Amino acid sequence: MREYPSILLVLIYFVRSEPDVVTDQPKTSNHSDYVPSLPGMLYQHNFNIFSGYLNADKNATLKMFYILTEAKIRPETAPLLVWFNGGPGCSSLTGMFVELGPVYANFFGDTLFENPYSWNFKANVLFLESPIGVGFSYDTNNSSTIYADDDVVAEQNYQSLTDFFSRVHPQYHRRTFFLAGESYAGVYVPTLAAKITQSINERIFPNVNFQGMAIGNGFMNAELSMNKLILWAAYHGRTSADEWDQIKEACRTEGAKDVDSEFSKFMTSKNGIEYIPNNSTCGKLLQPLTNVKPNGELAWTFDFYNYYRTCYHNFSSENATNPIQKALEALQTKNIAALMNTFSDDGKFAYACWAEDSVSTYLNDKETQDALHVSVEARRGNETYEWTTCSDVIFEKYKVKYKNTKELFNYVLQNTRRKDFRILIFSGDIDTACNFMADDYFMREIAKSNNMEKTNAHQPWFTSETQQEAGFYRTYEAINRRKTKISLHVLTVKGSGHFVPLDRPQASLQMISNFMFPLSGKVNFSRNHDIYANPSLSPIFDYETASANLPTTEMEGDDTSGDPQPESETDNSANEEENVEAVTKPIEEYDQPEKTNETKEEEAESTDKPEIQEETNMSEESESITEEKNKEEDIA
Ligand SMILES: *[C@@H]1O[C@H](CO)[C@@H](O)[C@H](O)[C@H]1NC(C)=O
Ligand SMILES: *[C@@H]1O[C@H](CO)[C@@H](O)[C@H](O)[C@H]1NC(C)=O
Ligand SMILES: *[C@@H]1O[C@H](CO)[C@@H](O)[C@H](O)[C@H]1NC(C)=O
Ligand SMILES: *[C@@H]1O[C@H](CO)[C@@H](O)[C@H](O)[C@H]1NC(C)=O
Ligand SMILES: *[C@@H]1O[C@H](CO)[C@@H](O)[C@H](O)[C@H]1NC(C)=O
Ligand SMILES: *[C@@H]1O[C@H](CO)[C@@H](O)[C@H](O)[C@H]1NC(C)=O
Ligand SMILES: *[C@@H]1O[C@H](CO)[C@@H](O)[C@H](O)[C@H]1NC(C)=O
Ligand SMILES: *[C@@H]1O[C@H](CO)[C@@H](O)[C@H](O)[C@H]1NC(C)=O
Ligand SMILES: *[C@@H]1O[C@H](CO)[C@@H](O)[C@H](O)[C@H]1NC(C)=O
Ligand SMILES: *[C@@H]1O[C@H](CO)[C@@H](O)[C@H](O)[C@H]1NC(C)=O
Ligand SMILES: *[C@@H]1O[C@H](CO)[C@@H](O)[C@H](O)[C@H]1NC(C)=O
Ligand SMILES: *[C@@H]1O[C@H](CO)[C@@H](O)[C@H](O)[C@H]1NC(C)=O
């Protein structure tokens, strides 16, 4: 479903002022896409940022904008996670600056503060503005018109990643990588995954180490999503017993058991994305349970991305006061992060309702665009390139080709030869744009059609030092026809809306890290000892006076003992004991891919490397354990 960022909200963090685990500065780089600093950074970051363009077609006519935020810990061996926002037509830079990225934009869009739960903790995260026409991505050919459908997007993403691994960042060409995204990326990710899987098997794609994919509140089966939205709404106080009885009567479809009717049959859709109840008795009863008015316009009477979240002020209105500034004045501290309410989810103060404006202001600033290497050619004579969160042009002309992504999932699951290929389907459970129930039912179907066995029954997973229920999960596993172990993890994030990394930052980091880094071959979503329960902020700059390392005020009783130890390569003695002060512990190595027992035929094939591998400097890479292992693990 469309991501309308006008109601995107940002969490403000409260954190202690201790030094972070990793304090070393990253090695700088003379890569032409290297970003030494971002304008308005309020803190000293300890990871590398690159941004620029990838070729999204073979003729290098289409330029896809990317930002790569490297891992805070061991970037040279950490896996790569490729992130897509949905739309179709919305920018993944919203994902970076509002959700899982290391920096969030401030109210006035002139400074950036830290997200201590950013996903580039143990992973290198690549944000792609896809397709061409979104954000800073552009077409050098002035005479072509911007258009996209599911296949066009997949092709552009495929070409861009090929360019990333082979030309722009060849040091990643053997790196374990995952594809991830949310919302309409529920189509982008499986279409791209299918293309990559096929290309790897044909020994064309430059990086064979495709390890899995993660989709948040995915738009993967449009009709199922509408069917389940009605159930979700009915059981979240949006109807009464009388109306529900009438619905069950008027909307019954053949073979329906109780409430399993195919409500979508009573709806129409022009674009395959937005559905409007028709004017039958049933349709009229369903209309109040959807997110649209009878004429099909979005109702906007509540935040359909997070049913329980309310914005009490219109921060877009003229002369709106900056809530952060007001609060800072009251608190007499300069640390923005100190405003975070860490004691519960509730409270008007914990959320801001101005993220879209801030990010737009920030990214439409000349200094920002220069720092991010936004193309002068693309600006076409303007001082700045006009950046918007979502492209209306792309959305309006978009053609949906996969209203049901089942065949794509089946293709990937049956054709991957990557040992321990993993899929994570995670859903905030109070999103009504792409509700968790549809993903739940859909994944049951996917598991069944791939003969996957339920290896973990539906059960809660836990987070925080008080071991709170973070949601539920279950696991399906199988050996596919290529004799490869495949697994499917279906998980909910309790109390989260559509934008999980925004609504549940800490739980989301725990979730994605455990998914990417299984321990002894097992994904345990409840493990949190290396995710900071109470993270410390990096040293902050006093931006105005440019005097670094401004002391911050401790806002909370801090009873942890001693300073965290710096992360050390040699200190690898994993302490398995759970401990809320685990911030001091070394980060455990994740499972390295095991050496497989290849068949003769496959061994022969494995010597037939994709061409691109010859271009890199092997001696450099072999110094890294992970890279070494990855080589052994090259798909046969
Ligand atoms: C970086 O620049 C130095 C000095 O100009 C050069 O010797 C080196 O090869 C460059 N490294 C890369 C990776 O381009
Ligand atoms: C790419 O360039 C080749 C050679 O100039 C041309 O034949 C082909 O039509 C171009 N493809 C596209 C998609 O423009
Ligand atoms: C596109 O338009 C710009 C500005 O009008 C011009 O400088 C550039 O040469 C054009 N590019 C092509 C491929 O026509
Ligand atoms: C530029 O766009 C026009 C119109 O779509 C197309 O005919 C032409 O092949 C394109 N040229 C290149 C170099 O892509
Ligand atoms: C609404 O949809 C139902 C089920 O497809 C159909 O039978 C009915 O004719 C439709 N009504 C209108 C007014 O379009
Ligand atoms: C139902 O009727 C209303 C009022 O006439 C109209 O605005 C709306 O477009 C109709 N809905 C559909 C799906 O035809
Ligand atoms: C908020 O204010 C802006 C600017 O004045 C206005 O365009 C917008 O409609 C307002 N939004 C709401 C929900 O009132
Ligand atoms: C906003 O502030 C300006 C300058 O103080 C003032 O002229 C204008 O009337 C204010 N607008 C509103 C809606 O209060
Ligand atoms: C240049 O500025 C104009 C006027 O603000 C705008 O309509 C146009 O989209 C801009 N072009 C680009 C490439 O940003
Ligand atoms: C998963 O991790 C949690 C927290 O560390 C631990 O209590 C639990 O025993 C682990 N479960 C398994 C199956 O290892
Ligand atoms: C590897 O394959 C060979 C030949 O099929 C077999 O004898 C051996 O037991 C296998 N080793 C493992 C670890 O599976
Ligand atoms: C490869 O890297 C090694 C170690 O950094 C260096 O000595 C060697 O010159 C490099 N070889 C090439 C071909 O770049």
Side-chain angles (χ1 to χ4, degrees):
M1 276 289 176
R2 188 104 212 253
E3 295 178 0
Y4 279 89
S6 52
I7 46 77
L8 289 185
L9 310 167
V10 165
L11 286 173
I12 314 154
Y13 290 94
F14 166 79
V15 277
R16 297 195 312 251
S17 57
E18 293 165 17
D20 209 336
V21 167
V22 183
T23 51
D24 288 347
Q25 286 297 296
K27 288 189 202 102
T28 57
S29 163
N30 51 4
H31 192 291
S32 60
D33 289 347
Y34 179 62
V35 179
S37 67
L38 283 169
M41 280 288 273
L42 287 177
Y43 75 103
Q44 178 62 61
H45 66 293
N46 59 4
F47 52 88
N48 278 334
I49 303 173
F50 299 88
S51 72
Y53 290 90
L54 307 172
N55 290 327
D57 65 344
K58 285 188 182 131
N59 283 3
T61 308
L62 305 176
K63 302 290 179 186
M64 189 175 287
F65 188 76
Y66 80 91
I67 298 185
L68 171 65
T69 57
E70 290 198 320
K72 295 174 186 172
I73 292 167
R74 292 207 266 283
E76 60 289 340
T77 56
L80 178 77
L81 182 111
V82 186
W83 177 264
F84 297 97
N85 279 68
C90 292
S91 166
S92 299
L93 298 196
T94 311
M96 168 154 170
F97 289 98
V98 179
E99 300 181 66
L100 57 136
V103 286
Y104 285 167
N106 244 316
F107 184 75
F108 289 119
D110 55 354
T111 56
L112 297 173
F113 64 100
E114 184 176 17
N115 169 14
Y117 297 112
S118 65
W119 286 17
N120 74 326
F121 176 44
K122 292 199 291 183
N124 299 296
V125 182
L126 174 65
F127 299 89
L128 290 185
E129 284 197 300
S130 171
I132 300 304
V134 172
F136 296 126
S137 298
Y138 72 104
D139 184 347
T140 56
N141 180 1
N142 297 355
S143 49
S144 29
T145 49
I146 296 299
Y147 164 80
D149 61 37
D150 293 338
D151 293 328
V152 166
V153 175
E155 175 64 16
Q156 290 179 1
N157 290 340
Y158 174 83
Q159 294 296 344
S160 299
L161 275 188
T162 300
D163 196 39
F164 176 86
F165 288 123
S166 55
R167 182 182 65 92
V168 182
H169 289 278
Q171 74 275 21
Y172 278 95
H173 91 287
R174 286 171 179 277
R175 203 69 63 85
T176 297
F177 73 101
F178 296 86
L179 301 179
E182 79 196 356
S183 197
Y184 200 81
V187 175
Y188 294 170
V189 169
T191 46
L192 177 59
K195 268 184 109 70
I196 288 178
T197 300
Q198 182 179 9
S199 179
I200 288 172
N201 288 349
E202 290 169 357
R203 278 171 292 283
I204 296 166
F205 197 67
N207 185 342
V208 297
N209 295 321
F210 176 35
Q211 191 70 69
M213 52 192 195
I215 296 171
N217 290 82
F219 184 84
M220 299 181 290
N221 183 331
E223 282 162 11
L224 188 56
S225 188
M226 293 317 298
N227 294 341
K228 297 308 168 194
L229 172 64
I230 301 303
L231 297 194
W232 192 98
Y235 290 111
H236 283 77
R238 300 193 67 203
T239 192
S240 71
D242 284 349
E243 276 75 26
W244 192 229
D245 282 348
Q246 290 171 33
I247 286 172
K248 283 197 274 186
E249 185 64 34
C251 305
R252 189 177 300 280
T253 52
E254 192 149 337
K257 289 177 274 168
D258 188 34
V259 294
D260 269 349
S261 283
E262 290 182 64
F263 299 111
S264 61
K265 292 221 158 99
F266 300 88
M267 301 180 190
T268 60
S269 180
K270 281 196 189 124
N271 57 9
I273 302 169
E274 292 162 325
Y275 284 75
I276 308 160
N278 75 12
N279 281 323
S280 62
T281 309
C282 166
K284 284 178 177 151
L285 286 163
L286 294 183
Q287 187 273 324
L289 301 188
T290 65
N291 301 330
V292 292
K293 294 188 225 169
N295 67 4
E297 281 171 21
L298 286 166
W300 283 122
T301 49
F302 66 94
D303 180 350
F304 68 74
Y305 291 126
N306 182 325
Y307 187 64
Y308 295 113
R309 183 167 57 196
T310 305
C311 283
Y312 297 95
H313 301 283
N314 182 357
F315 288 105
S316 303
S317 60
E318 206 189 346
N319 300 347
T321 47
N322 177 353
I324 300 268
Q325 199 168 45
K326 273 179 90 171
L328 283 175
E329 281 160 16
L331 287 167
Q332 297 188 327
T333 167
K334 283 188 175 179
N335 194 345
I336 294 157
L339 300 176
M340 173 65 177
N341 174 7
T342 54
F343 307 108
S344 86
D345 310 326
D346 202 358
K348 298 198 256 186
F349 219 6
Y351 303 102
C353 303
W354 31 260
E356 182 204 8
D357 293 344
S358 305
V359 173
S360 286
T361 305
Y362 185 74
L363 291 175
N364 278 299
D365 183 75
K366 184 176 180 328
E367 210 189 327
T368 303
Q369 295 194 359
D370 290 345
L372 287 173
H373 311 126
V374 172
S375 162
V376 171
E377 178 192 23
R379 298 183 201 184
R380 302 206 159 125
N382 286 358
E383 183 177 77
T384 58
Y385 186 92
E386 195 183 3
W387 186 91
T388 54
T389 47
C390 295
S391 162
D392 292 338
V393 177
I394 293 283
F395 184 79
E396 274 150 27
K397 291 196 220 154
Y398 199 88
K399 292 271 182 304
V400 175
K401 295 205 165 175
Y402 301 95
K403 270 165 57 178
N404 184 335
T405 54
K406 184 176 172 182
E407 294 312 318
L408 298 163
F409 275 96
N410 291 349
Y411 182 85
V412 173
L413 286 167
Q414 285 311 311
N415 289 288
T416 180
R417 300 160 103 171
R418 181 68 180 172
K419 191 175 160 60
D420 193 21
F421 187 87
R422 301 189 288 282
I423 297 180
L424 167 64
I425 302 298
F426 62 96
S427 304
D429 66 5
I430 57 169
D431 176 24
T432 71
C434 299
N435 67 85
F436 80 94
M437 288 176 79
D439 291 357
D440 181 359
Y441 279 70
F442 187 46
M443 285 305 127
R444 184 171 68 173
E445 205 182 311
I446 299 290
K448 197 174 168 215
S449 61
N450 289 283
N451 298 315
M452 299 179 89
E453 202 179 308
K454 200 188 289 179
T455 51
N456 278 316
H458 177 79
Q459 60 191 282
W461 62 289
F462 301 96
T463 191
S464 96
E465 55 205 72
T466 54
Q467 288 294 288
Q468 295 301 297
E469 207 172 80
F472 295 85
Y473 77 100
R474 65 179 186 279
T475 310
Y476 299 98
E477 289 177 324
I479 305 293
N480 74 4
R481 65 191 177 93
R482 307 262 188 186
K483 300 189 175 61
T484 297
K485 185 188 155 199
I486 50 175
S487 61
L488 174 58
H489 306 266
V490 186
L491 177 142
T492 59
V493 184
K494 188 163 70 75
S496 175
H498 193 66
F499 307 100
V500 172
L502 163 69
D503 287 352
R504 287 290 180 272
Q506 193 271 334
S508 85
L509 177 59
Q510 180 182 316
M511 170 196 79
I512 200 71
S513 300
N514 285 322
F515 172 67
M516 286 195 284
F517 298 79
L519 190 64
S520 312
K522 297 260 183 251
V523 174
N524 179 354
F525 290 107
S526 297
R527 277 163 47 82
N528 69 356
H529 70 284
D530 63 358
I531 308 298
Y532 311 156
N534 289 299
S536 39
L537 271 189
S538 300
I540 69 167
F541 293 131
D542 182 336
Y543 186 62
E544 277 155 78
T545 66
S547 66
N549 300 342
L550 189 80
T552 58
T553 313
E554 290 214 351
M555 298 301 299
E556 190 183 24
D558 177 6
D559 55 6
T560 54
S561 52
D563 282 344
Q565 299 304 307
E567 174 69 11
S568 147
E569 285 290 338
T570 51
D571 186 6
N572 252 340
S573 53
N575 184 347
E576 275 304 313
E577 221 175 285
E578 293 299 325
N579 184 334
V580 293
E581 291 168 36
V583 64
T584 61
K585 289 182 188 168
I587 307 306
E588 280 174 72
E589 274 298 345
Y590 62 102
D591 283 5
Q592 298 298 331
E594 284 166 43
K595 201 169 179 173
T596 49
N597 198 0
E598 324 276 17
T599 64
K600 267 196 187 129
E601 182 202 272
E602 282 169 333
E603 253 166 19
E605 285 174 5
S606 73
T607 58
D608 184 9
K609 304 283 189 201
E611 279 168 35
I612 199 66
Q613 296 181 358
E614 288 155 23
E615 291 175 21
T616 62
N617 189 334
M618 301 308 211
S619 62
E620 218 171 293
E621 291 193 356
S622 62
E623 283 164 30
S624 133
I625 295 162
T626 303
E627 296 291 344
E628 183 73 3
K629 287 279 188 175
N630 285 346
K631 263 183 238 169
E632 292 170 5
E633 182 55 13
D634 276 354
I635 289 289

